[in-house]
Each structure stands twice: as structure tokens, then as C-alpha cells.
Amino acid sequence: FGKTEVAMRAAFMAVHSGKQVMVLVPTTLLAQQHYENFKDRFADWPVKVEVLSRFQSKKALDKVKTGISEGNADIIIGTHKLLQQDIDPKRLGLFILDEEHRFGVTQKEQIKKYRAHIDVLTLTATPIPRTLNMSISGIRDLSIIATAPARRLAIKTFVLQWDAEKIREGMLREIKRGGQVYFLHNKVEDIDRVAREIEAILPEAKVAVAHGQMRERELEQVMLDFYHQRFNVLVCTTIIETGIDVPTANTIFIDRADKLGLAQLYQIRGRVGRSHHRAYAYLITPPQKAMTKDAVKRLEAIESIEDLGAGFTLATHDMEIRGAGELLGDEQSGQMQEIGFNLYNELLERAVRALKSGKEPSLNQSDRHFVEIDLHVPALIPSDYLPDVHTRLVLYKRISAAADNEALHELQVEMIDRFGLLPDQVKTLFAVHELRFKAKQIGIRKIDVYDQGGRLLFEESPNVDPMTIINLIQKQPKKFKLDGQDKLRFVEDMPEAEDRIVALDNLLDALLNKSA
């Protein structure tokens, strides 16, 4: 809700700055609808709005193209025709991509011919995984409209098998309150047969058919008649999926919903419930045995997510299922599975942070976040303390991701509260992580400690004063010695885990006291 309003305001600002605006939409119907809305909205302003779609004659299209290249057209709304080679805007400033999930990577690569010197505004209720990934990682800005319009209600969703009585009941309820009904059947070959079945089930209804293979004028007329409530049931294909706004239509039946994708189902369901009336969506499916496992999962997800504006949540699920795609190429799966999602995100975040601070992104050792500490004693969460493997893994992740000692302390309190007093192995685990913060501050890469002594391996340029190390060696030559340029060895009797932790803590404190 509200995306078109954002687009209109952005377009208005761009036009008033002397720039042209292009609005790319996936279907001819939506192009026509946006054209009418933009024209009405800017009727009192000296803004010239044009449309490029198959509803126009060749002569009209040529005239619009000339207007674009000469700079006479301020706002140009169109389908894929906008991406053709002969479209050459004179002073393009803003490119608006509406219903972005309907465009493939190939089309997005074509948009790049304008990309260098313009702003791009992408609108969608369900962003595709690649775009969502870019937004989450900070490469693109993301803005979510989470506040629904006043009095807007969530759509009630039901999954059912074909039942003439229930279909009649659902349609009759809508028609009796003065509303209209969509019946979506996504096969053009037998759509007329389905329309006749609907007429037989509900003789009181006026039924019409709309699909993408109809002639332009005919399709335009049907949609116009439906908008003006000249009939009350529209049997159609997924041509209505994107952006069609008919506030009086508040019930939709989706035939063979198991054949449609998750984002697609969400989009189609969003064609109803666009006013203050309660809307209903009926997903008609075959018996569960006849559906694939994925189809069942999709239907369960769409039925459970009833909140307003849940498209973002849905898109996140989609990203987890399908992968996030390459950021720069046109591969859909990307290389993420090679290194794992978390490491990939960490590397990406580090590169974005470096670029934002004006540095060159680096993946070398000095940029590592992790300090390896091996005390040669058990430092783990034992299974007899916490039997559930999944919970143990989650806690390991939370401990390693803790930002400071305070966060570690809170985690310890939480674990004692949930699972009882900490065993020695868990205490050692927390102590190792506390030592890691100090070691990272100094610039230590690796620490290895055993019962008779240990060694510290420094980074290339550690944050420690060389005199501090020299003083340590001079005062206790039997205990400390340098091994090469980057290793400090020490000898000490430390039979127990606690002895090793205390000795290492004291040594790190000594290095930190006079650290640069």
C-alpha cells in the first residue's frame, strides 16, 4: 500500500528539477492504469505524461518516442518497450521500476545503460532475493511502508478443494454487499468453459472474461467495464496480478493455487482488500496427495501470513528457499553456497563498510575478526548440560557473535536462568571469549597455551609498544623470549584450565598497560 503515491511524489520532484522520468511496469493493463492516475494527478500542472504500450497504434508510438528523445515528454510510463534500443531520453533523471519482482535479471541489466547518471526507485510488495540481499547488506537503500491506510483490514484466506456450493456462497456474499469478484483461472485454453461453469453455479452474476491473448481494445474495454461495475464477476488469468486497483472487488478465487509461486500468490491476493471492506481470498487446490511438497509449503505460508504488509516477511522466506543470486552477474543462485551464508554476509558487510569509509576492501589476514585461542582444555557446552543439539549450536553462535564482555555476561546469566549453574567447560568457553577481546585489541592472531607454557602470534602491525615486550623479556628472561619477528613464547607451570586463563589474562594485561 502506498507505493504508487511514493512514485508519484518522486516523479513530481524530478520533473520540477527539469528531468524526465521513466516508469517501467510489467503489464499493459498496469501501464494504462498508471497513465490515467498520473494524468489525473498532474492535470493542474504543466507536466506532460505519455504512455508506451501495445494498446497504441504505430503512429502514436512513433510520436511518443520522438517526444521522449526531444525532451517534450516529462513522465513516460511503459512496459518492456521502454527498454528498446530506439528509446533515447534527452534528460532522464529518475527511473521507477514498478512491481520489480516481475522483471528478470536480463531486463535489469538493460536498465544499467541509464544507471550511471540517474536515480533508480524500485517498488515491490515482494522483493526478489537478489534485491533483498543487496538491501540487507547495505548496497542499496531500503524503505518499508509498514503502516496500513486507515480502516484497511487484513485479507481472510481459505484453502479449499473445488466445491460449487462454497464457491456460490462466497460469490453471493460479495455480490449482495455490492462488491465484485475475481475468479482466477490461469489457462487460456479452457477459460471460457470455466466462465460458463461460474454462470451455472451463480446465475445471478454477470460474468466476463479477461486474458492476455485478447485483442488490445477488447481487453481494455473489459477492464474498464469491470472498473465501472458494469458486471460483477471477472474470470481472468494472472494478467491482473500486478497493481490493478479496483477498490470494489473484495473477493478472489484462485483456481489451482498450487501451480503458482509464493510471491505470485501474495501479489494476486493483494488485488482485493484495497478499501475498508473485509476481503476474502479462496485458494482452490486439488487433494493434498496430488500436490508437491513445495506447493503444500507455499499454501501453508500464504495462509498463515495474514498481517497487513507481510510481503517483506514472505520475500525473506523466498530468499532462504531460493538463494540470493549473484550481485553483479545474471546468475540466480550465486556463489553463496560455496562459503556459506554467514561468511558471505560478513565478507560483504566488511567490503561495504570499507567502501563507505573510503578504503579499498581487503580480505587479508589483518582484516580478520577472529582470534584463535587454544588452551588445550575442554571449552564447550556439554551434552549432559544441554541435550538439544540445535539449542547448543544457537548458543555457540550467540557466544561467538557477542560484541563485548557485557554481552557475554548477559548470556551467562541467561544460560544459568534457563539450564542451571554453568559446568567448568562452559565457564572456560566464556573465559576464552573474554580473552579474545583483549587479544584482538592488542593485535594478536593466535594464542596457544599448554601445561608448561605457551606462545602468542602477533599480526603484521600489532597495537603494542615494542618496549613493553622488551621490558618483559629483560625482567624475566627465563620466562619470556621472542621467537622470530611475530611470536612471543613464555614458560610457566599451568596444570589446570583456571591457571592457564589467569596466566594468559595477566600477560595480556601487561601488554595492554603500555600498548600504543
Side-chain angles (χ1 to χ4, degrees):
F1 28 70
K3 296 189 295 293
T4 312
E5 181 62 30
V6 172
M8 281 182 174
R9 292 180 184 215
F12 187 77
M13 293 298 287
V15 170
H16 271 257
S17 306
K19 298 288 184 184
Q20 282 175 299
V21 180
M22 276 188 170
V23 185
L24 179 64
V25 297
T27 65
T28 317
L29 283 177
L30 186 56
Q32 205 58 32
Q33 188 174 309
H34 274 348
Y35 174 60
E36 304 292 342
N37 288 344
F38 272 74
K39 242 175 108 173
D40 288 351
R41 188 66 175 273
F42 301 141
D44 298 338
W45 296 87
V47 175
K48 192 164 175 55
V49 184
E50 295 286 10
V51 66
L52 276 175
S53 80
R54 69 184 176 98
F55 282 173
Q56 290 165 301
S57 64
K58 188 177 184 311
K59 190 179 172 185
L61 283 173
D62 288 342
K63 191 181 170 190
V64 173
K65 285 176 186 175
T66 310
I68 295 169
S69 53
E70 288 177 358
N72 299 330
D74 296 312
I75 298 173
I76 308 103
I77 299 162
T79 54
H80 297 68
K81 285 182 184 291
L82 278 185
L83 299 175
Q84 289 172 354
Q85 294 300 321
D86 58 348
I87 304 292
D88 184 25
K90 190 178 180 183
R91 45 185 171 78
L92 187 65
L94 175 64
F95 196 101
I96 298 173
L97 186 61
D98 196 10
E99 304 292 354
E100 175 252 10
H101 60 277
R102 287 297 303 274
F103 293 95
V105 177
T106 317
Q107 280 110 8
K108 296 206 183 85
E109 293 293 314
Q110 282 174 281
I111 294 165
K112 283 182 182 170
K113 66 179 179 181
Y114 304 125
R115 179 57 72 70
H117 53 277
I118 61 161
D119 294 322
V120 178
L121 172 63
T122 298
L123 311 169
T124 177
T126 48
I128 62 165
R130 183 170 109 150
T131 307
L132 188 60
N133 179 33
M134 282 181 174
S135 305
I136 290 168
S137 54
I139 293 172
R140 293 178 66 160
D141 291 328
L142 172 73
S143 180
I144 299 169
I145 304 175
T147 312
R151 298 169 69 203
R152 175 75 65 94
L153 299 165
I155 302 163
K156 279 266 174 227
T157 308
F158 306 98
V159 177
L160 57 110
Q161 290 175 32
W162 182 282
D163 181 333
E165 198 47 51
K166 281 183 180 168
I167 292 171
R168 175 181 166 80
E169 185 191 317
M171 287 186 173
L172 208 55
R173 185 203 312 110
E174 185 60 52
I175 290 166
K176 281 191 171 174
R177 67 174 183 183
Q180 292 165 284
V181 179
Y182 289 112
F183 190 95
L184 188 131
H185 177 81
N186 205 27
K187 273 176 83 179
V188 176
E189 302 91 87
D190 57 354
I191 197 164
D192 291 319
R193 175 187 63 76
V194 172
R196 287 194 296 275
E197 277 183 44
I198 300 300
E199 282 174 335
I201 291 171
L202 192 69
E204 300 96 319
K206 289 180 183 172
V207 181
V209 173
H211 58 78
Q213 291 178 25
M214 289 165 74
R215 296 213 316 278
E216 290 89 341
R217 292 275 167 262
E218 201 183 338
L219 179 58
E220 191 179 8
Q221 195 54 53
V222 168
M223 293 312 295
L224 215 56
D225 288 348
F226 188 63
Y227 185 78
H228 292 300
Q229 293 179 278
R230 294 188 185 118
F231 58 89
N232 43 25
V233 177
L234 179 68
V235 179
C236 55
T237 59
T238 50
I239 192 164
I240 60 141
E241 179 186 337
T242 41
I244 301 298
D245 190 9
V246 182
T248 48
N250 283 303
T251 296
I252 187 165
F253 288 82
I254 304 172
D255 193 13
R256 285 311 299 263
D258 58 309
K259 297 274 189 193
L260 301 173
L262 193 54
Q264 202 174 18
L265 277 171
Y266 181 77
Q267 287 289 335
I268 292 166
R269 188 179 71 167
R271 293 315 99 214
V272 294
R274 300 177 80 87
S275 67
H276 56 274
H277 294 293
R278 166 72 77 190
Y280 298 91
Y282 297 86
L283 311 181
I284 301 169
T285 63
Q288 192 159 341
K289 287 176 186 172
M291 294 190 282
T292 64
K293 282 182 184 172
D294 279 354
V296 174
K297 275 186 202 165
R298 288 196 298 268
L299 293 167
E300 282 171 0
I302 198 85
E303 197 177 14
S304 65
I305 297 179
E306 284 201 345
D307 305 342
L308 286 167
F312 187 77
T313 317
L314 212 67
T316 316
H317 284 310
D318 203 16
M319 181 167 80
E320 286 170 9
I321 295 162
R322 283 165 49 191
E326 273 183 13
L327 293 180
L328 303 173
D330 54 8
E331 290 294 317
Q332 285 297 304
S333 59
Q335 305 304 315
M336 198 184 287
Q337 69 270 33
E338 301 293 327
I339 57 169
F341 187 64
N342 286 344
L343 177 59
Y344 169 82
N345 269 352
E346 191 185 316
L347 294 173
L348 192 59
E349 191 183 322
R350 206 184 300 171
V352 170
R353 201 165 49 233
L355 287 167
K356 279 183 176 173
S357 59
K359 295 175 191 165
E360 193 69 32
S362 157
L363 299 175
N364 62 18
Q365 287 290 92
S366 63
D367 206 28
R368 282 167 40 139
H369 288 259
F370 198 74
V371 182
E372 201 179 321
I373 300 179
D374 190 356
L375 300 182
H376 295 276
V377 290
L380 50 94
I381 304 170
S383 54
D384 54 359
Y385 174 65
L386 180 49
D388 183 49
V389 178
H390 179 69
T391 312
R392 285 208 304 275
L393 286 171
V394 168
L395 283 165
Y396 278 130
K397 179 83 183 83
R398 286 180 65 191
I399 292 167
S400 67
D404 49 32
N405 284 338
E406 196 180 323
L408 281 176
H409 178 67
E410 282 175 13
L411 255 170
Q412 286 183 65
V413 172
E414 184 189 319
M415 282 179 73
I416 293 166
D417 190 37
R418 285 172 67 186
F419 313 112
L421 292 170
L422 302 178
D424 290 342
Q425 298 103 308
V426 182
K427 287 178 185 171
T428 308
L429 180 67
F430 277 105
V432 165
H433 279 279
E434 283 178 17
L435 290 168
R436 189 167 278 140
F437 293 131
K438 288 184 182 179
K440 188 178 167 187
Q441 207 177 330
I442 296 166
I444 294 171
R445 192 192 306 173
K446 188 176 178 182
I447 298 175
D448 199 2
V449 180
Y450 46 95
D451 56 349
Q452 296 299 315
R455 64 181 185 135
L456 312 183
L457 180 65
F458 293 96
E459 297 278 13
E460 273 180 35
S461 49
N463 183 29
V464 63
D465 186 351
M467 286 310 295
T468 310
I469 299 172
I470 292 166
N471 286 339
L472 276 176
I473 296 168
Q474 283 176 344
K475 283 177 185 172
Q476 296 168 287
K478 286 185 179 174
K479 184 175 179 180
F480 296 104
K481 70 169 182 176
L482 273 175
D483 181 5
Q485 288 187 325
D486 57 355
K487 290 188 194 79
L488 176 66
R489 289 188 179 277
F490 66 97
V491 179
E492 192 172 332
D493 189 32
M494 301 170 286
E496 300 299 325
E498 204 173 324
D499 303 329
R500 296 174 202 184
I501 290 163
V502 171
L504 190 53
D505 198 31
N506 291 337
L507 174 56
L508 293 177
D509 279 344
L511 291 171
L512 268 172
N513 273 347
K514 295 173 185 175
S515 62

